Amino acid sequence: MGVKQGDPASSILCLFFLNDIVNNVNTNIDGILNIDDLQLFLLLFADGAVVFAHDPNSLQSMLNDIEEYSNLWGLRLNVNKTKVMIFEKGRHTHFGFYLYNNRIELVDAFKYLGVYLYKNGNWNRTQKRIAQHGSYSLHNLFVVCNQLDLPISQKSKLFDSLVASTLNYAAEIWGNHLGPYVELIHTKFCRKVLGVKRSTNLSALYGELGRVPMSINRKLIMIKYWVKLLTSKENSILFKTYKMLKTDVDQNNTYSKCNWAFQIKHLLDECGLSYIWQNQFNMLINYNSINQRILDMFYQSWYGSINNSRRLETYNTLEYNFEFEKYLDFIKGKRFRMALTRFRTSSHDLAIEKGRYTSMPRNERICKNCNFGQIENEYHF
């Protein structure tokens, strides 16, 4: 009738009980999603299951079959943890769905395999949730960095391993979204390790650390996943699903630009690689070349931003290449390193004190009797 929590036999017993559940669901009804000769109506992963259909009557029919199957094998579905969501935009449609004569709660969002899905199909609130989890990871990273005197290059590597992995979770699916809340976590880390103000120009932040925005990383992840899909087996669910999406794109059905295949096409068009999309099944796609093209476009935009910014005139004369600045690891004194970074990125405060011009961080402003020459010598400008 069951095993103890954590028993190694639980996984194999789960497979025994759920192995033939698909065969006990009647799919000879309307509203079943068909992809070529494949009927897609049930997804199972570990203890998570999703049943879906195009209309409410078909969904309720399949729920009845699953309930009957559960009763046959002595299983019990947890109605309190079972939710129903109707994907739609605008108006709210309400239907009653039941298990064991209990009405199932109708929700506007639910979490599946760590990803929050919302009824309107938009990823904005999803990236907010991901950013929230990323902020917890960033806090833990700051705790470690405060306890250990690590070089900034090592802190960046820790961020990529501990925080960026959280921020890029499921980026293969939602990566085309700008993700402003996710980028806030990234820029917060950059400002913290550099010791600059919140108003510091983003281009200067990225240039000092040699880091690209998270949105660029997500695009690379999407392209990598797309190339993987093209090399998968043609009879696999993923490949058939992708071909269905591509067919919709070819017929100009983009679903308000939410079609994942359309987003890949748009990304390739932006890079001037439209020919790859047109011949994707007839050529060997080089992921590294697409990767480099996306990065080159960002580098070009970055150089343009620092050249056209009046605030970064000093930075423009000092910065030549987009790479991690070695002085960040070379200068051991945090005080002097932060002063140089603030000077380079124009992130210092300006104050006029009794007719004398001073340039000092707000939290380290000197007394009125100090002159700028002493500051210059102390900070090694």
Side-chain angles (χ1 to χ4, degrees):
M1 295 302 295
V3 294
K4 294 182 178 180
Q5 181 71 25
D7 193 299
S10 60
S11 58
I12 190 66
L13 285 176
C14 179
L15 293 178
F16 286 159
F17 275 89
L18 297 179
N19 187 51
D20 58 346
I21 187 173
V22 176
N23 300 327
N24 286 266
V25 176
N26 179 24
T27 58
N28 294 322
I29 53 179
D30 296 330
I32 300 297
L33 176 63
N34 292 283
I35 304 177
D36 292 338
D37 57 343
L38 177 67
Q39 287 186 319
L40 197 59
F41 59 92
L42 175 64
L43 296 177
L44 295 171
F45 187 87
D47 60 345
V50 176
V51 186
F52 47 90
H54 284 302
D55 64 82
N57 295 326
S58 299
L59 181 60
Q60 183 61 62
S61 175
M62 290 188 289
L63 289 175
N64 295 338
D65 293 338
I66 293 175
E67 178 182 340
E68 181 179 352
Y69 176 87
S70 301
N71 294 332
L72 176 64
W73 290 99
L75 303 176
R76 180 75 181 181
L77 297 174
N78 191 332
V79 181
N80 294 328
K81 291 185 178 181
T82 304
K83 312 296 180 184
V84 173
M85 186 174 78
I86 303 174
F87 285 94
E88 60 183 349
K89 291 186 177 181
R91 61 186 179 86
H92 298 280
T93 306
H94 296 281
F95 290 100
F97 299 93
Y98 296 87
L99 272 177
Y100 307 113
N101 296 322
N102 295 320
R103 184 161 183 164
I104 305 175
E105 181 184 1
L106 194 65
V107 297
D108 295 335
F110 75 97
K111 183 179 180 182
Y112 182 65
L113 301 182
V115 180
Y116 285 91
L117 304 175
Y118 291 86
K119 61 180 300 180
N120 61 358
N122 192 285
W123 298 108
N124 186 51
R125 285 185 287 179
T126 299
Q127 60 95 22
K128 287 184 180 180
R129 293 269 193 169
I130 293 177
Q132 184 179 17
H133 290 291
S135 65
Y136 302 148
S137 302
L138 182 63
H139 171 74
N140 295 332
L141 176 60
F142 284 158
V143 171
V144 173
C145 293
N146 291 335
Q147 296 174 351
L148 302 176
D149 187 17
L150 298 173
I152 293 183
S153 60
Q154 296 299 320
K155 292 180 181 178
S156 296
K157 291 181 179 179
L158 286 176
F159 178 87
D160 291 333
S161 300
L162 304 177
V163 184
S165 57
T166 301
L167 298 178
N168 288 329
Y169 184 76
E172 295 87 349
I173 307 301
W174 66 275
N176 192 62
H177 195 279
L178 292 177
Y181 287 86
V182 171
E183 194 60 33
L184 283 177
I185 304 299
H186 183 208
T187 54
K188 181 179 180 180
F189 165 78
C190 296
R191 294 187 180 97
K192 178 71 173 180
V193 296
L194 291 178
V196 296
K197 298 189 302 180
R198 188 174 183 179
S199 59
T200 305
N201 189 284
L202 291 180
S203 297
L205 278 181
Y206 298 140
E208 287 294 280
L209 295 171
R211 301 185 61 85
V212 299
M214 301 299 295
S215 59
I216 301 298
N217 290 327
R218 291 195 298 271
K219 289 180 180 179
L220 300 179
I221 292 174
M222 287 186 68
I223 292 296
K224 186 176 182 179
Y225 185 67
W226 174 66
V227 174
K228 180 181 178 181
L229 281 180
L230 295 179
T231 57
S232 60
K233 296 181 179 179
E234 295 187 1
N235 60 349
S236 65
I237 296 179
L238 288 176
F239 187 83
K240 290 184 176 182
T241 303
Y242 170 71
K243 286 196 66 177
M244 178 187 68
L245 296 176
K246 181 182 180 299
T247 301
D248 288 339
V249 173
D250 295 337
Q251 297 174 356
N252 295 323
N253 296 327
T254 64
Y255 308 108
S256 301
K257 300 182 180 180
C258 292
N259 187 321
W260 186 85
F262 170 79
Q263 295 171 2
I264 295 294
K265 179 182 182 298
H266 181 69
L267 180 57
L268 293 175
D269 291 341
E270 285 183 337
C271 299
L273 302 174
S274 301
Y275 73 94
I276 294 182
W277 173 264
Q278 297 170 1
N279 302 282
Q280 55 185 282
F281 296 120
N282 301 319
M283 62 180 296
L284 181 62
I285 299 177
N286 187 349
Y287 164 73
N288 293 327
S289 63
I290 304 177
N291 185 350
Q292 191 60 47
R293 179 68 66 89
I294 295 175
L295 292 176
D296 289 342
M297 290 181 59
F298 167 74
Y299 296 151
Q300 184 179 2
S301 173
W302 178 81
Y303 280 115
S305 64
I306 64 173
N307 289 331
N308 298 326
S309 175
R310 296 184 60 183
R311 187 175 183 180
L312 295 181
E313 290 179 353
T314 302
Y315 187 77
N316 189 27
T317 60
L318 299 174
E319 186 67 21
Y320 301 101
N321 298 313
F322 186 89
E323 60 183 4
F324 178 83
E325 294 298 327
K326 296 181 180 179
Y327 81 88
L328 295 173
D329 284 348
F330 179 76
I331 300 179
K332 301 302 180 183
K334 181 178 179 180
R335 182 183 179 188
F336 303 114
R337 183 183 67 243
M338 290 172 56
L340 179 57
T341 302
R342 290 172 178 175
F343 173 75
R344 285 170 54 89
T345 60
S346 300
S347 183
H348 46 275
D349 285 333
L350 303 180
I352 303 298
E353 297 184 0
K354 291 186 178 181
R356 292 178 301 184
Y357 174 78
T358 61
S359 175
M360 287 291 290
R362 182 180 289 107
N363 59 347
E364 297 180 11
R365 186 162 294 163
I366 59 175
C367 64
K368 297 180 181 180
N369 296 327
C370 296
N371 58 46
F372 187 70
Q374 292 174 336
I375 303 171
E376 203 170 26
N377 293 332
E378 181 181 2
Y379 273 16
H380 297 273
F381 282 167

